[in-house]
Amino acid sequence: MMEKQQKQFLTVAPFECAWRDHLRFREAGRGCVAFDAFAHNDVTIVFREQLGSQQYHYKRDNNPHYTVIIGSHKNKRLKIEVDGKTVVDAAGVGLCCSSAFQSYWISVYDGLISVGKGRYPFQNLCFQWLDTKPNCNVQYIGLSSWDKHVGYRNVSVLPLTQNHISLWRHVDCGEYEASDDGEEDLENETGDYEKWGLENFLESWELSDMFFVVGEEDRAVPAHKVILAAAGQFGFSGQGNDVIHLPHVSYPVLHAFLQYIYTGRTQISEPQLGPLKSLSLQFDVITLVKQCEEITERSKLNKKLFNLDKNVEISYPNSRLRCGASFASGLPLNLQRLKQFHLDGEYSDIDIYIEGHGLVARAHKIILGLWSIPFTKMFTNGMSETLAKKICLKDVSLDAFHILLEFMYNGGFTKGDTMDVDTLLLQLLLLADQFGVTLLHQECCKTLLECLSEDSVCPILQVIVSVPSCKLIEETCKRKFSMHFDYCTSASLDFIELDEETFCSILQHSDLTVTSEERILNAILLWCSQTKELRSWERIDEMLLDLTPGLIFKERLNCLNVLLPLVRFPLLPCSLLKELEGSNLCRHISAFDSLVKEAIAFQDVGFGGPRKELDIRFQHRRSSFKELQYICDGDSNGVLYFAGTSYGEHQWVNPVLSKKIAITASSPISRFTDPKVLASRTYQGTSSAGSRIEDGKNCSWWMVDIGHDHQLMCNYYTLRQDGSRAFMRRWNFEGSLDGKNWTILREHENDETLCKPGQFASWPIIDPNALLPFRFFRVVLTGSTTDEANPWSCCICFLELYGYFR
């Protein structure tokens, strides 16, 4: 494989493809890959169900896959192939650039393939195509090439939500309210942040704090101290030196000089190169001096290359390689100086106070205005803030504001492992939205999506549900809540703080996944009662013996009439419906009584015809789990046995042999370390996983992979001791989605349950993590066994898992 990693660059040779384990969608068939690519043509991305081989090439692949080629046919066309057959061949879409890295993104959502350009996914859409027979299993991403080398960098994979393209249109910060119609032009100019930069303030009196006086005509030309000081040495000191007189410099020369500093590019006639060089030397703008010298030398070598009547173009070496979010990237500005000006407040023209914290920063209006339309308007609207030397902000997080300033001066911020997603990052996102710092807002959105967990969805939803620019985060949180409904309504009570509209939309979400309708009923009653402890419907029913519904549900009593019909009562077990029929809930709440009786009538006599087909209450939910519950030790109700029957389709065969599941051990396979033994129904006298060193510690384990298409919410597991007397006393039972990052489901300390050779033993999983689905499970020793000869051998000859399987 001819590829190399250099300074975060990955170069892929012709007819090759680079695969990485981490380059995969979190959910099969749904995801987005964003990347930078450097190529003359044929930037090629492959989406496949499994990892490709080392010498993989999409032209020789007979397995299902999508291929997207940007700049096909010598950088003239965009192509999309399905399983090797061309389905899209469009001219002039999203072409490559051979002189610099360019940013692209490609998303796949149930067969909808979207291609766009730019650093921020789901914006600047170039092309979309919908596969009428979608491949919903593609998951792995390959970075490929055709007949020329392609360079890749900054490759990241993001999750998707339903209607993601339209949702990301809301990511741009909301419009800042203004009463002056004349300010709308400024706002419209900043719609595309790719074009909004320092050049907009070139020779502008807005936010300027000094000016030049040039030529015999004494023409005044405004500028900004902090920008000039970051480019050279202008001799500013104290509060003076607001004017620099240049009587012997013409305006065209000063204009070219400032244009180079503010944009990284300029042009000037050849006779004026000398004065431009002299001006650059005077103020120590060394890069411009060198540019002028190089052009002059070339002019001497070949006079024919230059025409006195035409302008000479001058560019800062990195002006066309705009990388990163910093406004100063690609400009002849010293970033270290800018950072120092931020720290010590030199050349500052605005003091910022935060209510309750006093003076927090001495900043520069031009820097704030570069990033923030609200700040620009605050400093230019003619109101008191325009002339004021200080501003006071209210209801602003101090820590978040410091990070906002860091981003404005550095073009980035240090996320770190300590940034709290539920607090600081969320405050930063809201602050970026408040001040219209679009790029920071998008960085926060991206980070929130990457860090989003089942534990954080509710606190985040409570905050961002009313912020229009956070629509994507809101919808992603709702979807994650829906897909882990059991956990999110049982692990904590945060969900009862959600507003009615949000909770109602979760209950009606198309991806709602739940183990039983009873859990939805319990969640609704908990939410309506705003209880401070987890309770089932039975506890609410008991409370109705002494209290009225009005006292229990208070202001949310009327919400019951809206939410209870979202429970699919006809799908509840008949025995539970009979129990509900005689409950206090039915006696005191008429809507509850009506729904229960209707469900009983359906189960007794059934409803036929179109009514049943159309009524959603009679339909099982999408992605529902199969209940595989523990009955007794060694029963045939577990996941491994179910997999051995090809999930109920055939007679039982050891699932390791039929490759329905995979079992691995901490030590290599041997006569006494045989993975298929743990899934067999036959007792084995000697079966052990040997020890190994992980993270500098002794351990041994057996691990089960139930398959990439399956997950289990495990609530019980069974082990069987082999014929030895190496009884475990300290171990963990753990679950994982990727086989690398593990969550403890049950921790055993001084557990003496296993005490006989060949003994079965089973344990329930009562931790809230039992409500999270996992693909991988393992039994891992955390302490030595009772065998002094081999204290770190995990000696079990049977393993079974139970719970809710899909």
Side-chain angles (χ1 to χ4, degrees):
M1 183 73 175
M2 295 181 61
E3 60 181 57
K4 53 186 177 181
Q5 190 81 30
Q6 292 181 347
K7 298 180 181 179
Q8 298 182 337
F9 298 156
L10 173 68
T11 302
V12 181
F15 309 106
E16 299 286 356
C17 190
W19 301 91
R20 299 290 184 269
D21 288 336
H22 68 279
L23 294 182
R24 58 178 297 187
F25 296 154
R26 298 182 188 178
E27 180 182 5
R30 295 179 177 181
C32 176
V33 58
F35 58 93
D36 298 337
F38 178 93
H40 291 271
N41 51 262
D42 293 305
V43 172
T44 306
I45 308 296
V46 183
F47 300 91
R48 205 168 182 269
E49 295 180 8
Q50 300 291 336
L51 281 170
S53 64
Q54 188 175 11
Q55 297 298 325
Y56 172 91
H57 195 266
Y58 58 94
K59 288 292 185 183
R60 301 189 294 269
D61 191 359
N62 295 322
N63 295 304
H65 68 282
Y66 290 122
T67 304
V68 178
I69 307 172
I70 302 172
S72 179
H73 291 75
K74 296 184 178 180
N75 204 23
K76 294 180 180 179
R77 312 185 74 81
L78 170 76
K79 289 187 66 176
I80 299 178
E81 297 182 358
V82 178
D83 304 338
K85 297 180 180 179
T86 301
V87 294
V88 170
D89 191 354
V93 178
L95 301 182
C96 310
C97 174
S98 60
S99 62
F101 274 93
Q102 281 188 296
S103 299
Y104 304 91
W105 58 269
I106 303 173
S107 70
V108 180
Y109 188 93
D110 294 346
L112 176 64
I113 298 178
S114 306
V115 182
K117 296 181 70 173
R119 292 186 64 247
Y120 293 94
F122 318 116
Q123 297 190 14
N124 299 325
L125 177 67
C126 295
F127 190 84
Q128 276 187 303
W129 174 76
L130 179 63
D131 188 356
T132 55
K133 297 180 179 179
N135 183 338
C136 295
N137 295 316
V138 293
Q139 194 164 12
Y140 289 91
I141 302 160
L143 309 175
S144 188
S145 65
W146 177 238
D147 59 349
K148 294 181 183 295
H149 286 75
V150 177
Y152 293 94
R153 71 179 184 187
N154 299 331
V155 184
S156 59
V157 182
L158 301 172
L160 291 185
T161 64
Q162 214 165 13
N163 301 321
H164 56 282
I165 294 295
S166 62
L167 290 174
W168 268 88
R169 292 173 184 160
H170 296 279
V171 170
D172 284 337
C173 295
E175 294 184 353
Y176 183 75
E177 295 295 329
S179 57
D180 189 349
D181 295 337
E183 294 174 347
E184 290 180 357
D185 291 339
L186 176 62
E187 188 167 21
N188 291 335
E189 285 181 353
T190 63
D192 184 354
Y193 253 75
E194 296 282 339
K195 301 175 182 177
W196 173 251
L198 195 56
E199 60 191 88
N200 294 78
F201 293 90
L202 173 64
E203 297 185 23
S204 170
W205 287 99
E206 288 184 340
L207 310 183
S208 65
D209 55 358
M210 63 82 58
F211 60 93
F212 295 91
V213 177
V214 296
E216 295 178 357
E217 68 276 19
D218 289 339
R219 180 169 179 171
V221 181
H224 308 82
K225 287 183 182 179
V226 68
I227 301 301
L228 298 179
Q233 301 294 334
F234 286 79
F236 300 123
S237 62
Q239 299 298 317
N241 294 358
D242 292 340
V243 182
I244 296 179
H245 292 273
L246 300 171
H248 303 297
V249 176
S250 67
Y251 169 72
V253 171
L254 179 64
H255 172 76
F257 176 73
L258 293 177
Q259 188 178 44
Y260 179 82
I261 292 174
Y262 279 68
T263 70
R265 302 179 302 277
T266 191
Q267 55 184 5
I268 196 169
S269 64
E270 186 179 2
Q272 292 178 321
L273 274 173
L276 180 60
K277 174 186 172 183
S278 298
L279 184 62
S280 304
L281 277 170
Q282 178 181 346
F283 295 115
D284 205 23
V285 182
I286 301 303
T287 57
L288 183 54
V289 173
K290 291 181 178 179
Q291 292 284 303
C292 292
E293 290 176 345
E294 290 175 3
I295 293 171
T296 302
E297 287 298 319
R298 289 202 302 268
S299 176
K300 291 178 180 179
L301 291 174
N302 191 346
K303 290 289 185 180
K304 294 181 181 180
L305 291 178
F306 295 93
N307 188 321
L308 296 179
D309 296 328
K310 292 186 178 181
N311 289 332
V312 176
E313 291 190 359
I314 304 175
S315 296
Y316 180 63
N318 297 325
S319 65
R320 300 187 182 278
L321 297 176
R322 292 290 181 107
C323 57
S326 173
F327 74 89
S329 62
L331 300 180
L333 303 182
N334 187 317
L335 294 179
Q336 292 303 318
R337 286 189 197 171
L338 276 176
K339 293 177 183 179
Q340 192 60 43
F341 297 155
H342 166 50
L343 294 175
D344 59 27
E346 190 172 2
Y347 309 122
S348 67
D349 53 1
I350 189 71
D351 291 341
I352 302 176
Y353 292 77
I354 292 180
E355 190 175 58
H357 298 283
L359 178 66
V360 297
R362 297 174 60 216
H364 307 84
K365 291 181 179 179
I366 180 63
I367 304 296
L368 304 183
L370 271 168
W371 291 100
S372 168
I373 297 170
F375 271 128
T376 298
K377 293 182 176 181
M378 183 187 299
F379 300 140
T380 59
N381 62 7
M383 304 299 285
S384 59
E385 294 91 344
T386 303
L387 300 176
K389 296 297 184 181
K390 68 177 183 179
I391 57 173
C392 185
L393 305 176
K394 297 181 179 180
D395 301 322
V396 169
S397 162
L398 177 62
D399 291 337
F401 188 77
H402 279 309
I403 297 175
L404 174 75
L405 286 179
E406 179 188 347
F407 183 87
M408 287 179 162
Y409 281 85
N410 303 343
F413 64 96
T414 306
K415 300 174 186 177
D417 297 330
T418 59
M419 181 170 285
D420 191 337
V421 172
D422 297 347
T423 53
L424 184 55
L425 183 58
L426 201 53
Q427 291 170 350
L428 184 61
L429 185 149
L430 296 178
L431 195 62
D433 176 78
Q434 177 183 348
F435 290 107
V437 187
T438 301
L439 296 182
L440 176 59
H441 183 274
Q442 292 172 333
E443 287 290 339
C444 291
C445 284
K446 180 179 176 182
T447 304
L448 269 178
L449 286 173
E450 292 172 347
C451 301
L452 192 63
S453 69
E454 298 82 2
D455 294 308
S456 63
V457 289
C458 289
I460 292 173
L461 270 174
Q462 292 173 39
V463 176
I464 56 87
V465 71
S466 60
V467 182
S469 60
C470 294
K471 196 67 177 176
L472 175 69
I473 305 296
E474 177 188 345
E475 292 300 323
T476 304
C477 286
K478 288 179 180 177
R479 183 166 184 263
K480 196 168 193 71
F481 190 118
S482 301
M483 296 181 68
H484 302 91
F485 188 87
D486 285 12
Y487 182 85
C488 291
T489 56
S490 301
S492 77
L493 288 169
D494 288 341
F495 78 98
I496 68 172
E497 302 298 332
L498 299 177
D499 62 82
E500 180 183 357
E501 182 180 353
T502 301
F503 188 53
C504 190
S505 65
I506 290 171
L507 293 171
Q508 298 179 85
H509 202 284
S510 60
D511 288 324
L512 180 63
T513 303
V514 66
T515 53
S516 72
E517 290 297 316
E518 187 177 0
R519 285 197 176 271
I520 294 179
L521 173 60
N522 287 337
I524 289 173
L525 294 175
L526 279 172
W527 184 86
C528 289
S529 64
Q530 302 178 71
T531 181
K532 299 302 180 184
E533 60 182 79
L534 287 171
R535 294 169 176 168
S536 63
W537 69 266
E538 292 98 334
R539 178 67 184 117
I540 302 294
D541 191 62
E542 290 177 9
M543 293 170 64
L544 284 170
L545 288 171
D546 304 314
L547 302 173
T548 65
L551 290 174
I552 294 175
F553 301 110
K554 302 182 179 66
E555 69 275 7
R556 290 184 177 179
L557 177 61
N558 291 332
C559 298
L560 282 171
N561 295 327
V562 176
L563 299 177
L564 282 175
L566 302 180
V567 181
R568 300 181 184 179
F569 282 95
L571 303 183
L572 290 170
C574 181
S575 58
L576 179 56
L577 285 173
K578 294 293 186 182
E579 193 175 351
L580 291 173
E581 185 181 27
S583 68
N584 293 315
L585 286 164
C586 275
R587 281 193 288 273
H588 293 284
I589 302 171
S590 58
F592 194 95
D593 182 59
S594 175
L595 290 166
V596 170
K597 286 180 177 176
E598 181 187 45
I600 291 174
F602 163 72
Q603 292 196 355
D604 288 343
V605 300
F607 295 149
R611 179 179 176 185
K612 177 183 175 183
E613 298 298 325
L614 296 176
D615 196 328
I616 196 171
R617 290 175 297 168
F618 306 126
Q619 299 174 18
H620 287 275
R621 297 186 188 273
R622 180 175 178 264
S623 301
S624 58
F625 289 84
K626 180 176 180 61
E627 188 174 8
L628 299 172
Q629 293 301 333
Y630 168 84
I631 301 297
C632 63
D633 295 344
D635 61 25
S636 299
N637 297 323
V639 173
L640 274 65
Y641 187 89
F642 186 55
T645 64
S646 295
Y647 313 110
E649 297 295 327
H650 304 103
Q651 291 292 320
W652 185 86
V653 175
N654 190 305
V656 174
L657 294 175
S658 61
K659 297 184 178 179
K660 298 296 182 183
I661 65 168
I663 298 179
T664 52
S666 52
S667 57
I669 294 176
S670 67
R671 178 182 176 186
F672 301 121
T673 307
D674 187 352
K676 65 179 180 292
V677 168
L678 268 71
S680 72
R681 314 300 290 178
T682 305
Y683 170 70
Q684 186 82 4
T686 305
S687 174
S688 65
S691 64
R692 64 188 296 172
I693 303 296
E694 289 184 358
D695 298 328
K697 297 180 181 179
N698 252 331
C699 73
S700 60
W701 45 260
W702 286 99
M703 181 176 70
V704 178
D705 175 4
I706 61 175
H708 73 278
D709 290 329
H710 301 290
Q711 291 182 331
L712 174 70
M713 296 166 64
C714 186
N715 59 19
Y716 234 102
Y717 78 102
T718 298
L719 302 178
R720 189 178 190 183
Q721 178 74 25
D722 71 352
S724 73
R725 304 189 66 84
F727 306 125
M728 297 189 297
R729 292 295 177 256
R730 288 179 292 278
W731 75 95
N732 289 341
F733 180 65
E734 302 174 340
S736 171
L737 284 170
D738 57 9
K740 299 176 182 178
N741 302 295
W742 294 91
T743 298
I744 296 177
L745 299 178
R746 178 157 185 147
E747 193 171 5
H748 298 263
E749 284 291 334
N750 298 318
D751 190 326
E752 299 182 358
T753 305
L754 291 169
C755 55
K756 298 178 182 179
Q759 176 189 351
F760 281 102
S762 302
W763 296 268
I765 310 299
I766 55 177
D767 191 273
N769 289 329
L771 301 172
L772 290 176
F774 295 105
R775 169 183 168 180
F776 299 88
F777 297 88
R778 70 174 183 175
V779 176
V780 54
L781 282 179
T782 58
S784 58
T785 67
T786 58
D787 186 4
E788 295 182 0
N790 296 294
W792 285 96
S793 291
C794 185
C795 300
I796 57 174
C797 63
F798 178 80
L799 174 64
E800 186 57 282
L801 311 172
Y802 302 87
Y804 296 95
F805 176 80
R806 67 174 176 186

